[in-house]
Amino acid sequence: MRSRPVLVLGKAGAWLLLAFLFVPVLVVVPVALTDQDYLSLPQHGISFSHFAALLVPGNGWLASIGTSLAIAAVASLVATAAGAAYAMGVWTMKGWWPSLTRLVLLAPMIVPPIVYAVGIFRLWARLDLLDTPTGVVLVHVVLCLPFTVLAVGASLSNLDPAIVRAARSLGARPPTVFRRIVLPNIRLGVAAAALFAFVTSWDEITVTLFITSRHVVTLPRRIWTSITDSVDPALAAIASVLLLATVLALALRLVRRGQPA
Amino acid sequence: MTAFQRWAFGLTVPACLIVTALYLVPLGTVLAISVEEPVPGLGNYAGLLDSPAVARVLATTLQVTLLTCALTLVASYVVAFALVHMSGRLRQAALLMVLVPFWISVLVRAFAWMTILRRQGVINSTLAALGLITDPLELANNRIGVVIGMVHYMMPFAILLLYANLAGIDRRIMQAARSLGARPGTVLLRLWLPLSLPGIAVAAIFVFVFSLGFLITPALLGGGRTVMIAEYISVQITNTLRWGVATSLATLLLVVVGAAIFLAMRSPALRAAFEGQVRQ
């Protein structure tokens, strides 16, 4: 086949842009391995001391990882339950209620978090929920809900509604239909919803920044403070750990499924 | 209402209650404060019009957002277009290079760019070591740094949206055009681009809305000198406690974002996308 200059140029450009996306993220690894006490590339050799610093309890990294894991676990559990119930309910409904409520439920995904942060700060101040785990969990539930609704909804759109009619004509009562017929058929979607919600809560920073200060320090909150206050190479070490975990999870997924996430 | 309909409705209630109490009420509070504090009336909005600081922040926000949008869309289209033309292993590798930054925390990405762009950063120290520069280039704590960081943040979203759209286009149309003698440039401009317009529009609205209210990356890479609206609001709340200014600006942001989404929803393709039924 004749080589087409447009396509060749386009492909080269695409790989350069892919490098722009991927390579800069990798820079945290050599910085984490520096033998210096400040942010730099290794000067005389590599050192794992900044990774070791993550494990020192006094530095708070482990505590923050624990806090983030606990908050993300509870928030994703609640958001997945509420989101899956909602998605199953509207799946069988018609009229204005599904379309109106859907718009409101998806809003947190689209409305800039800074607007919500201002509002919830005021409400939490009045309810004494600022800087409490409960306050953070409730906010994260709201922010995770759109993702769970979308994930479960996508799963339901592949399910034949005739399954409900069949079950009902055979005498299944409404709770049985939802719990024993619909739910088992969308369990993969529910699992995906829980995963999405977990990652959303684990990563959330903008609103958390407003409603926490000293007592509830999630991992993103600690990273933020560390970036703005100091230039500690431990930051590069935690960034490398997060990067490694992400790459491994994605690579596993791509290899196992042969499909993008 | 039949018993079944009552059950279906009941299932939707918890999520709706959560969102009403914990989302709509706080947003309503923002609107209310903007016309109540410090004095009732539209004084806060009039104040926004008079303030040179607000005018500067809005101008910066708009310029950075539009530049981010334009660069992100062009770059993402090139990548998405290449992705649909790749095969097997190559595409998997390319997708991994999109998905890793997509899943990595926004903080890690901003931090990585800080280490690259700052005065003693990777770029400046490399260029200095090569003897190409004597004074470090100003790449961070200004608009260049903010735009680089924001394009880097938005590209994976735009690429995945455009890729889903491009992959769904019937390739036989292009084969037919080629067999009728159309040149590659013609196929790109007269077939691919028009057919992918809905996808481009979705990606454009998406990037616009997210860039407009973005806090983290501009705050970290702007270094307090390139201040966008979200950072300005944040400073009004946490430092100067000017609730009126913060809430009226937040309301303005809400209105602009709402208008953008409303316009988007008028297009059937965009409506389908926002309602979560992204096809293919």
Side-chain angles (χ1 to χ4, degrees), chain A residues 4 21 97 102 116 122, chain B residues 12 22 37 152 178 275:
Chain A
R4 285 167 282 166
L21 278 181
W97 177 255
R102 184 176 188 91
Y116 181 51
R122 192 67 170 227
Chain B
T12 67
L22 300 179
E37 291 181 21
H152 187 257
R178 295 285 313 280
E275 282 168 6

Side-chain angles (χ1 to χ4, degrees), chain B residues 175-196:
Chain B
Q175 283 165 10
R178 295 285 313 280
S179 71
L180 291 169
R183 286 144 44 88
T186 315
V187 173
L188 177 65
L189 289 178
R190 307 252 326 247
L191 293 174
W192 278 109
L193 273 179
L195 284 172
S196 52

Side-chain angles (χ1 to χ4, degrees), chain A residues 111-120, chain B residues 23 26-27 30 233 249-251 253-254:
Chain A
V111 171
I114 183 75
V115 181
Y116 181 51
V118 172
I120 198 74
Chain B
Y23 195 76
L27 283 199
V30 171
I233 293 173
L249 271 174
T251 305
L253 188 57
L254 191 63

Side-chain angles (χ1 to χ4, degrees), chain B residues 119-169:
Chain B
R119 285 176 72 89
Q120 307 84 13
V122 177
I123 290 184
N124 274 322
S125 49
T126 310
L127 289 178
L130 292 173
L132 292 172
I133 52 167
T134 44
D135 296 321
L137 305 172
E138 295 291 341
L139 299 170
N141 299 330
N142 59 21
R143 214 165 279 196
I144 302 173
V146 173
V147 171
I148 291 177
M150 284 179 62
V151 170
H152 187 257
Y153 183 80
M154 300 294 163
M155 267 181 71
F157 291 97
I159 290 171
L160 294 175
L161 285 170
L162 287 170
Y163 173 61
N165 174 259
L166 289 176
I169 291 174

